[in-house]
Structures are given as structure tokens and as C-alpha cells.
Amino acid sequence: MGSRQITEKSLAMLRSLPRISIGNLRDNPGHKKNSKRGRGQHGGDKHGAGNKGSGQRMNYMRLGYETGNNPFYLRMPQEHYYRGHHFRRQYPPLSLQQVQLLIDKNRLDISKPVDIASIVKSGLYNFFPDQKHFGVNLTDEGVDNFAAKINIEVQWASEQVIAAIERNGGVITTAYYDPHSLFLLKDPKQFFENGQSIPRRMIPPPDAIEYYTSAKNRGYLADPEEISQDRLRLAQKYGYELPKLENDPSYEMLCERKDPRQIFYGLDPGWVINLKDQCILKPKDEELVRFFAS
């Protein structure tokens, strides 16, 4: 091909190509190399952690914190969204379906009264007293399939849950435990190894007294006669025949309850459990006996 033909072909190509402008200028591929990693504002040196504060220290921000802005609960103060949130008691849920599963798998011994220590020992439920967890909230999931006769103590329960347990001839009690008592119930072995005496359980705070003294809620401080009357009322409301506990062969087990100052079944406040020698040391001084008495 001659030089004239090459020139004409090149000129024809230039006529078809767009004009050079700022809009169609591009760098060569791979020309720019980013030496820093991350997506930070200052070239990636923060690696997405921000500049100072709790964010770069991998801490969880407090409830309602909006990174220096005026938070929502202060912009709308009349709603009181977070008023007293750090005082509110939390009750991690445990459904009746899960309780039935624990019984079917022989992880719960229903021949004895069941409390929060027995439920935690099963290995399928956990709670954290240091995070304002105050015990078990027994929910009504699986209420139609629950068929166990059980004496159970929880911290919170609805009317449907109470009816489901009493329909099968069981007994339910709602009881309050202070945070120190909950730490003991969560890991009794660790406490017994320290060689300390079992403390007394504290009474409920003023805002929880009404709940735990109510026969409707089966509170542990309620009048037993009122509880008996409310058991009959609940059976009439839900249309089932209330089994007679007096004729049940497990009557003593079903009627067993803790003392309001007692933390563990069978162990009184003031006792020292010696796991090494496998013995129990009981106080003999009259002043100590009077102090730990209910």
C-alpha cells in the first residue's frame, strides 16, 4: 500500500473520531496506584474507625447516641423514649415449647421443682445479670403442645402460660431475685468453691411488689388462699377441669416452695457448702441464726 493511501485512510479515520475535549480524556489504565488502604476520610489512614472517641476503640455506643448530634429522644423530649432505660429490668424469654423440648430430652428433671438454676444447668438457656437480666420470662409459644406436669418457678409469666401449666396439673410461681442472687443461681459451683455463706434473697423493689404479691400472677408473696381461688377462676375462664392437687401422688413435690429469703432449694441462708469435704456447715451462733432467719 502506498504512502498516499495510508495518508488518506488516516485522515478519514480522524474525521470519524470525536474531537478531543475534557469530557473524553482518560488516564492510562493502571496509571494511578493507591498506596493506602481503607475508606477513611483522610486517605484511609483511619480504616473506617473515624477520628477519636469510642468508635475507634471498638466499643458499643450508648443507647440513643447519635455521634455528636442532638439525639432523637432529646429532640422529642415529650415522648420520653429512653426515660429510665438503665433501670428497666429485662427478662430473656423461654417458651413452653423449649421447656417441653428440655423435658423430652431429659435435660430437666420434673420429679423435682424446677427453678432458674435447673433451667440454666440444662445448657440451652442463659442470661446475664450484669446486663439487667432478672430471670426467665416464660412465653406462650407452643402452649397447645405443652403436656408436662411440672412445678416451675420463673420471674415473669402471662395468663396463657399459667393456664397451660395448671391445666396439666402443674404449679407455677413467679419469684423475684436480686442481681447478687442471680449470679449465684447462674453458677452455684463457683460460689460454693469460694467458701462463702449463702446470703439471704432480697425483697422486691417498690415497683415490683405489686406483681409478686398478686395471686393472679402467682406471686411468691401472694396469699395461698387467693391463689387457690384464682386457679379455679382461670379454669372456668379457659374451660378446662382443674386437677385436684390433693389426690396427686406428687402432691408434696408440687406444693414445695422456697422461702422468700431462700435462694437454693434445700439450702438455707447462712449455710456454707464445702465441696471438697462434701459437707454442710451450719451457723450455731444465736445472733447469726437470727440474722439469716426469714
Side-chain angles (χ1 to χ4, degrees), residues 273-279:
I273 311 302
N274 190 335
L275 296 180
K276 184 177 181 180
D277 298 336
Q278 297 184 358
C279 63

Side-chain angles (χ1 to χ4, degrees), residues 85-198:
H85 65 85
H86 52 295
F87 295 121
R88 294 176 186 172
R89 290 181 289 275
Q90 306 293 329
Y91 299 91
L94 177 70
S95 66
L96 285 174
Q97 183 176 353
Q98 291 174 304
V99 174
Q100 185 67 53
L101 182 63
L102 293 176
I103 296 172
D104 296 340
K105 290 186 175 182
N106 293 325
R107 293 202 174 199
L108 272 184
D109 185 9
I110 60 175
S111 62
K112 301 177 182 178
V114 175
D115 63 346
I116 189 171
S118 308
I119 298 173
V120 172
K121 187 180 177 182
S122 67
L124 295 179
Y125 180 85
N126 200 2
F127 71 105
F128 303 96
D130 56 338
Q131 298 181 15
K132 301 297 181 183
H133 291 180
F134 277 77
V136 180
N137 174 19
L138 197 58
T139 62
D140 58 359
E141 183 182 357
V143 65
D144 297 329
N145 301 324
F146 187 75
K149 181 172 63 176
I150 187 173
N151 180 5
I152 187 170
E153 179 190 79
V154 294
Q155 283 60 61
W156 201 272
S158 62
E159 188 179 69
Q160 292 83 0
V161 171
I162 296 173
I165 292 176
E166 294 180 349
R167 180 183 58 198
N168 299 329
V171 176
I172 182 172
T173 306
T174 56
Y176 172 82
Y177 289 92
D178 57 282
H180 183 58
S181 301
L182 291 169
F183 275 110
L184 272 59
L185 288 167
K186 183 177 180 180
D187 194 353
K189 182 180 179 182
Q190 181 181 5
F191 172 73
F192 294 150
E193 288 175 346
N194 293 334
Q196 302 179 13
S197 60
I198 301 175

